[in-house]
Amino acid sequence: MRLIRDLGRRKLRSTLTISGIAIGIMALVVFGSMANKMNALIDGGSQYYADKAVVSVGNMYTGSFQPLSLSADLEQIRNVEGVAAATPSIEMMLNDDEAATMGVPEMISGFVPDGDKGLETFEINVAQGRMLTADDHGNVAVLGCDLARRLDASVGDTVVLRKTEFAVIGILAPTLTAPDKEAMVPLDAAQQLFVKTLPPMLQDKVDATDIATGITVYHEPGVTPEDLKANLEAALGDSFTVMIGKDFDEMLGTFSAIFSLVLTGIAMLSLLVGGLSTINTMAMSVAERTREIGIKRAIGASRWRIRREIVMESAAIGLIAGAIGLAIGAVMTTVFNDLGRSSGNVLFDLTLGTAVTAVAFATGLGAIAGFVPAWGASRMDPVAALRYE
Amino acid sequence: MAILEGRNLRKTYHLGRGNKVEALKSVDISIEAGEMVAIMGPSGSGKSTLMHILGLLHGPDYKCPDPSDPCPAPELYLAGDSVSTISDNQRTRIRARRMGFVFQDFNLVPTLTAMENVMLACDYAGTKGKQARVAALDALELVGLGGRAAHRPAELSGGEQQRVAIARALVNKPEITLADEPTGNLDSEHSAEILALLRSFNREHGQTVVLVTHDAEVGSACDRVIRMRDGHIRDHGYGDGVTNGAPVMAVPAVAASA
């Protein structure tokens, strides 16, 4: 309480210092929450790719992409050494105009439910309804949680995906990564949707039941993903792209590193600005209280007591600023998430860890900044301090 | 028995650019337990410096004013124990537990109430919680301010503030109280009040009181007056106050090392 009273003695200065740190902490909270979301996304992808290889031709994001043929390519892959199972899939954008979103776009994912032969390790749970089975064909869909929320759909509803009606049979539990924004449909339904996206000239020439955008390959026990990739590349030739977990990590690791760098930069900046302004505030408050420190020393306060008093006050500035910064940051991320939810852009994930780190960081910053003036105060000559006007 | 005894106490303040002031020029002093002593003298005579050394706020100088002219090392004893070479922490501990301080400008902490100011001294002496509250309230009642415990210094008159300072100095029942011009900022009525308080503690608890003053009336109310001039003790005299102990041993004034 005494601490707060001492801070209250210089309201304007304390307020300004607290605001300075609070802004830094707010930025830390907002960017930290964004990084949480990104990292969850990347971790999810990394986990998904960990035990498999995905074969495609070209890159679907750059337009050089070509469909694979089930009758030719799939059969060839199944015969490659080390392959335990290979299953075709169709991955396509839900909306063609959604290329500029942050994070992952909404996707339609067509697959053969038992195509993995039980080898899939990435766990996806159903929150409502049921998962697709091998008996499902045609226009039924299981929606990711974010997509379901955006479409305001629940089990039993009908949703329109790419101008085609689908019956919702299940909704996924949150995975924090790509499937949250996916509509999972049987392969045959996705094939039909995919053919319609091809130029009219091509549409007639393609057998819809024979195409896939990717083939997921599972390896036999004892075969490493790197071996599998080497075997596949040797068998298929250069026109195919084979992606394994390591490739994914390399691709997105850079992205994640840049993000961490930005976050660290903001933390350092707030450290510098907040720390210096706290040192300034505390140094001035020590100068103003020179006499008071002299009295306290004279009547028996040890140097350690004087230091502790100033460091605690400084830490209190940090704690208050951290709490305010966290509160503003929490409000901001909540508001942004609510605004973005309708368009499927939930970009922030404020975790307990981020919140605790931000407040602890601010408090520690305050305490460390207090050490400098505290040291000076504790070395003052009590008699000289008593005479100070 | 001497509770405070000093020999060869010197202090030179260096004001920079070779400018220095010899505030204390080799002083010997002995204060008996239970005495109430006034140190008097004109401004700059070294009386405050002497009190600061006796109160362990400053250490005496070990260096001689003239390096080519060797001088005896200073000695300072508190109740027979040497305290001239102890650490800052030990000095602080003695100040907190065995001494009480009263200053001219009252010197209370402005953000704390009267009660909290007194409790600060308890805290530094290691008394906490309820025990400290009881002791602080008792001390405030003793100085007649039991009803003003929750007031801040700004809400108290000068005389009241000085009484709070006395309560703070006495709350730990120290052996020695050191007062630097305790009545310097008070009118004669309040001065008499403060003096009476110090005297009553001296009588009832056998507490040694050393006070620095300009005021001859204050000096004459004490058992003994030590007169200083130019950094030396000039003479001792007995005040009009009645000594409660044996006759005080006169300490010879030390002549300048001429």
Side-chain angles (χ1 to χ4, degrees):
Chain A
M1 274 334 283
R2 258 181 220 180
L3 259 169
I4 305 296
R5 239 189 279 163
D6 276 332
L7 288 179
R9 275 204 265 184
R10 352 169 269 281
K11 287 194 184 62
L12 179 65
R13 201 190 312 148
S14 298
T15 310
L16 289 175
T17 307
I18 287 172
S19 309
I21 303 177
I23 289 168
I25 295 300
M26 181 203 74
L28 208 63
V29 166
V30 169
F31 280 84
S33 302
M34 207 173 200
N36 286 340
K37 190 79 182 170
M38 289 289 164
N39 288 337
L41 210 65
I42 291 167
D43 282 355
S46 180
Q47 261 173 47
Y48 176 77
Y49 282 100
D51 63 338
K52 58 176 75 86
V54 175
V55 179
S56 58
V57 178
N59 185 322
M60 71 182 298
Y61 295 103
T62 59
S64 61
F65 168 76
Q66 282 173 31
L68 294 141
S69 155
L70 299 193
S71 51
D73 303 327
L74 183 60
E75 289 314 310
Q76 192 187 354
I77 287 168
R78 279 183 176 150
N79 290 326
V80 172
E81 198 191 335
V83 173
T87 181
S89 63
I90 299 254
E91 300 281 339
M92 58 194 293
M93 304 273 248
L94 182 55
N95 311 296
D96 287 329
D97 54 359
E98 211 203 343
T101 348
M102 278 196 77
V104 279
E106 290 177 343
M107 303 287 288
I108 294 173
S109 169
F111 67 105
V112 182
D114 60 355
D116 62 322
K117 296 191 179 161
L119 293 170
E120 180 60 64
T121 53
F122 189 79
E123 216 175 296
I124 294 180
N125 295 309
V126 179
Q128 208 189 102
R130 63 175 179 82
M131 198 56 196
L132 289 171
T133 69
D135 297 332
D136 285 315
H137 293 285
N139 296 349
V140 291
V142 173
L143 303 180
C145 60
D146 288 347
L147 182 60
R149 194 180 302 125
R150 182 177 76 77
L151 296 174
D152 195 19
S154 47
V155 172
D157 289 351
T158 300
V159 292
V160 176
L161 307 174
R162 284 195 161 268
K163 297 179 189 155
T164 308
E165 291 193 345
F166 281 79
V168 178
I169 59 165
I171 290 176
L172 299 179
T175 61
L176 300 179
T177 182
D180 286 357
K181 296 174 93 175
E182 268 180 20
M184 295 178 158
V185 301
L187 183 67
D188 54 9
Q191 284 170 329
Q192 294 302 327
L193 291 180
F194 185 75
V195 167
K196 285 186 204 160
T197 66
L198 297 173
M201 281 172 63
L202 273 174
Q203 283 188 19
D204 300 336
K205 295 179 186 164
V206 171
D207 174 7
T209 61
D210 190 46
I211 54 169
T213 61
I215 292 171
T216 307
V217 184
Y218 300 90
H219 53 78
E220 284 176 338
V223 179
T224 66
E226 286 80 7
D227 292 343
L228 181 67
K229 179 176 173 166
N231 292 348
L232 286 168
E233 279 174 342
L236 297 170
D238 286 347
S239 56
F240 292 81
T241 307
V242 180
M243 186 150 105
I244 59 172
K246 216 173 80 185
D247 303 323
F248 178 86
D249 291 348
E250 273 171 20
M251 201 169 81
L252 288 185
T254 329
F255 187 63
S256 172
I258 289 171
F259 224 85
S260 302
L261 210 69
V262 170
L263 190 70
T264 316
I266 290 169
M268 285 300 159
L269 213 66
S270 66
L271 178 96
L272 202 71
V273 174
L276 289 178
S277 96
T278 308
I279 291 175
N280 183 41
T281 299
M282 291 313 297
M284 291 198 53
S285 113
V286 164
E288 279 166 12
R289 272 188 279 172
T290 298
R291 250 182 102 117
E292 187 180 315
I293 291 164
I295 305 167
K296 287 178 174 173
R297 289 280 286 127
I299 67 168
S302 62
R303 288 186 169 151
W304 186 81
R305 283 290 296 252
I306 300 293
R307 280 200 284 272
R308 190 183 70 177
E309 201 172 291
I310 291 160
V311 168
M312 295 266 282
E313 193 174 318
S314 188
I317 289 181
L319 178 65
I320 294 168
I324 292 172
L326 173 63
I328 299 173
V331 168
M332 279 176 68
T333 52
T334 309
V335 168
F336 286 157
N337 276 349
D338 282 347
L339 289 176
R341 192 157 281 134
S342 57
S343 60
N345 278 322
V346 178
L347 295 179
F348 304 96
D349 180 18
L350 178 52
T351 60
L352 185 67
T354 305
V356 171
T357 308
V359 176
F361 179 79
T363 310
L365 178 72
I368 290 167
F371 270 117
V372 180
W375 190 258
S378 75
R379 305 301 298 181
M380 275 196 275
D381 171 23
V383 174
L386 273 172
R387 289 197 182 129
Y388 185 86
E389 292 296 333
Chain B
M1 182 192 120
I3 188 149
L4 276 171
E5 191 162 12
R7 272 181 229 127
N8 312 313
L9 303 179
R10 295 183 299 273
K11 192 80 187 170
T12 301
Y13 293 111
H14 297 271
L15 307 174
R17 291 190 196 181
N19 194 356
K20 57 185 184 175
V21 174
E22 275 187 72
L24 218 54
K25 299 169 185 165
S26 201
V27 162
D28 290 2
I29 188 170
S30 177
I31 310 265
E32 296 297 306
E35 240 191 324
M36 182 155 166
V37 185
I39 303 175
M40 292 189 68
S43 297
S45 61
K47 55 190 192 303
S48 286
T49 303
L50 179 59
M51 201 206 85
H52 293 148
I53 290 176
L54 293 177
L56 307 186
L57 287 164
H58 268 171
D61 282 352
Y62 277 78
K63 257 177 32 188
C64 298
D66 179 2
S68 61
D69 179 20
C71 55
E75 293 168 56
L76 186 61
Y77 300 94
L78 172 65
D81 301 322
S82 174
V83 291
S84 44
T85 55
I86 59 176
S87 72
D88 183 78
N89 272 339
Q90 286 170 304
R91 290 166 180 282
T92 304
R93 205 178 152 82
I94 291 172
R95 287 203 302 274
R97 289 165 194 251
R98 299 175 69 178
M99 293 178 172
F101 290 88
V102 181
F103 301 97
Q104 178 175 4
D105 310 309
F106 321 139
N107 279 341
L108 301 175
V109 178
T111 43
L112 303 183
T113 63
M115 179 82 168
E116 287 166 335
N117 264 289
V118 177
M119 280 171 70
L120 213 51
C122 298
D123 191 5
Y124 297 152
T127 313
K128 316 244 177 214
K130 192 167 183 248
Q131 216 185 333
R133 272 195 296 282
V134 170
L137 200 60
D138 280 353
L140 281 170
E141 262 158 21
L142 230 49
V143 299
L145 287 175
R148 314 278 273 167
H151 289 256
R152 303 265 178 90
E155 299 159 355
L156 300 171
S157 72
E160 285 172 329
Q161 287 186 52
Q162 196 59 306
R163 271 145 68 197
V164 174
I166 287 178
R168 185 179 66 188
L170 300 175
V171 67
N172 296 318
K173 306 205 162 50
E175 295 152 65
I176 308 163
T177 295
L178 295 131
D180 192 357
E181 300 275 11
T183 60
N185 284 355
L186 298 175
D187 59 31
S188 58
E189 189 189 336
H190 287 112
S191 294
E193 238 173 63
I194 296 300
L195 219 56
L197 272 171
L198 289 171
R199 181 49 111 176
S200 74
F201 274 89
N202 166 254
R203 289 261 161 80
E204 283 158 34
H205 300 283
Q207 193 179 49
T208 309
V209 177
V210 179
L211 55 84
V212 166
T213 187
H214 265 111
D215 186 342
E217 263 182 68
V218 173
S220 66
C222 294
D223 299 330
R224 180 158 65 111
V225 176
I226 296 171
R227 278 177 228 285
M228 294 193 69
R229 179 175 284 273
D230 301 330
H232 294 292
I233 291 180
R234 210 183 60 189
D235 62 45
H236 298 250
Y238 292 93
D240 298 338
V242 182
T243 37
N244 56 348
V248 175
M249 199 171 68
V251 176
V254 173
S257 48

